[in-house]
Amino acid sequence: MSMENKRYYLELRGVNKKYGNFQASRNVNIQIEKGRLVALLGASGSGKTTILRIIAGLESPESGEILIDGKLVNNTPGSERGVGFVFQSYALFRYMTVYDNIAFGLRVKKKPRNYIDDRVHELLKLIDCEGLEKRYPNQLSGGQRQRVAFARALAPNPQLLLLDEPFAAIDAKIRLELRAWLREMITNLQITSIFVTHDQDEAIEVADEIIVMNHGEIEQTGSPRELYSHPQTPFVAQFIGASTPVENYQRFRFFQSLGDDTTAILRPEFVSVFKKGENKKYTESAEEGVVEDVIFRGSNLEIRVRIHGVVLSGNRGINDPVVEIGEKVDVFVYRFLVVDGKKIVRLDNSSLREESIII
Amino acid sequence: MDIRKNSGVVKWTLIVLCSSFLVVFLILPLIYIVVTALRSGFQAYWNSITDEYAIKAALLTIEAMVCAVVINTIFGICAAWTLTKYQFRGKKTISTLIDLPVTVSPIIAGLIFVLTFGRQSFLFPFLDRFGIQIIFAVPGIILATVFVTFPFISREIIPALAAQGTDEEEAAAQMGANMFTIFRKVTYPHIKWALLYGVVLCSARAMGEFGAVSVLSGHLRGKTNTLPLYIELLYQGYDFNGAFAASSVLVLLSVVILALRMWLEKRGAKEIDVRK
């Protein structure tokens, strides 16, 4: 499909929202294709939930347009936008059974009784909660509650599903299972979905596409891989992935300075730590550092090395020869993400280029 | 020291103290009322409580009570909803004003209404033109009763509504439910027991109200005398049998309400336990 006739299922154009003096959304533009699973990622107070609520019709923007399936819906009530909403704390109706919770939206829309009954049972089967229809929300586990909230939102057959921090209220272990479950469910149903999260791992693992928000503005939109390897703003570079700030990257060999007031961000995977003599490929261009700490991370070891007055983190495999604290090691930095004002420039180790030319 | 395991002198002293207090101030007077009421025999008692004016007074008391409960229920729900679901300037002031009737002496409340609606008030000509009589009439009694029982229902509902938050209402609204459906299906189940409890408290207070009603009533026997006023009238007229007989009716009503209250507390606690 070419760019010209690409039709977005959801579009936000120049949306602004203020609460008193607080600018919750600033000129927000979003385009989402049908069937995508999108994460709105940001710290708390970054305006991500506001955007979700604006799309759902729970808030109205001061200015800007909201288009769903090509139609302007600014003046359409939330219930007629074909949107399902899963609230952060699920907001299940405490005084209704699971059945009544799921049936609520259908009853409000005055669907026939038979239809409601079939639909509720279909959804109970989908969320694997058959037999729980007579229970009350407080008699369910956290995971079951989330799935009931999911089913309740899906009952009226929305074309767009919005989830506000869907995993926040669940303990860590079940959270991982639910992530996979939700992703699978949404992929199978092919329903366009947007979920809000503050957890970058969650966004990276679950979403096809991530919208990073900060101070009510969109910093960057892209696939998890794009955001990870090509961050466009300092905020994204620091927010996505592990990072160490390096003020004096200019002192590292084979990196030219991009200006005096520039600093850099370094990811652990840009750093290799070698025992003396172990390093064959980069012998010429590695620099000497001292091991400050070795931290066991399960699948790998994080080595903290002091070099040029900064402590960098690098990874080593579990089966690599052991390095000790205080040991002198060879450190090779592949790349810095240099912060130049509001831009990010990828700065590669220049010896890599030279070596590749030689080879 | 584990205070619950202390079975020594302190515990029993306190228990005895509390019990004797209750006996002296509550049980004894109640027994005394019943005994005095029946002193001249059951026939005299029956005659006293089936007296035309006694029955009228009892009916007026119930009328004022029902009106107070209905008005305060409507007002209480509106006030509680306003105070818990919206953010606005002056919220604190409204919240404080709701409690005012409890702190103002009922006599003063009565006088306030006499001044507001009586002959010297600027409102009087208007009321008079439309033939509305408030002072020394049934509307005045109802007004006074509503005033003194003002905060009872709203104060019970506010914590229940505040604890619930607005999430569930928001979810219902997002699915297209109208205000009435939201209230009936989502909000009402939350406040049901608190509301009923408030109704019971309000009824009890309305039934026994003396001060404010006394000022506004004018003591027209058979017309504006409520049960407490009627009792006082008999008592002042040295008709002890009649006074205590009428009192026993009021006591009976209180006992019914107390029983209702206990039952509500039990049911409510059970249900809240299940649905929390």
Side-chain angles (χ1 to χ4, degrees), chain A residues 169-224:
Chain A
I170 295 173
D171 43 294
K173 187 139 192 225
I174 310 171
R175 198 179 300 171
L176 290 178
E177 271 171 45
L178 270 175
R179 274 189 205 166
W181 179 84
L182 194 71
R183 186 180 163 80
E184 194 189 318
M185 204 49 68
I186 288 173
T187 316
N188 287 343
L189 293 168
Q190 297 196 315
I191 179 170
T192 315
S193 306
I194 306 171
F195 71 99
V196 155
T197 180
H198 62 272
D199 181 340
Q200 47 137 323
D201 292 336
E202 201 168 286
I204 288 170
E205 192 186 311
V206 179
D208 305 325
E209 199 174 314
I210 300 175
I211 300 170
V212 183
M213 291 199 67
N214 187 28
H215 296 306
E217 281 177 291
I218 291 180
E219 291 269 338
Q220 192 177 349
T221 304
S223 69

Side-chain angles (χ1 to χ4, degrees), chain A residues 53 56-58 78-79 83-85 87 89-96 101 104-105 107-109 136 138-139 152 156, chain B residues 163-165 167-178 181-182 185-186 189-191 193 271-276:
Chain A
R53 294 172 62 88
L58 294 166
S79 54
V83 168
F85 200 100
F87 285 79
S89 47
Y90 311 142
L92 290 174
F93 306 126
R94 268 174 280 181
Y95 289 85
M96 290 184 208
N101 262 286
F104 188 88
R107 285 185 180 145
V108 163
K109 295 223 156 72
Y136 285 92
N138 76 316
Q139 297 166 317
R152 184 178 71 174
Chain B
Q164 177 217 1
D167 275 17
E168 289 177 47
E169 273 100 1
E170 205 161 52
Q174 210 283 322
M175 285 187 264
N178 59 34
T181 310
I182 294 175
K185 296 274 195 170
V186 181
H190 274 282
I191 59 169
W193 296 106
E271 190 166 313
I272 286 163
D273 203 40
V274 175
R275 310 285 149 77
K276 204 127 209 179

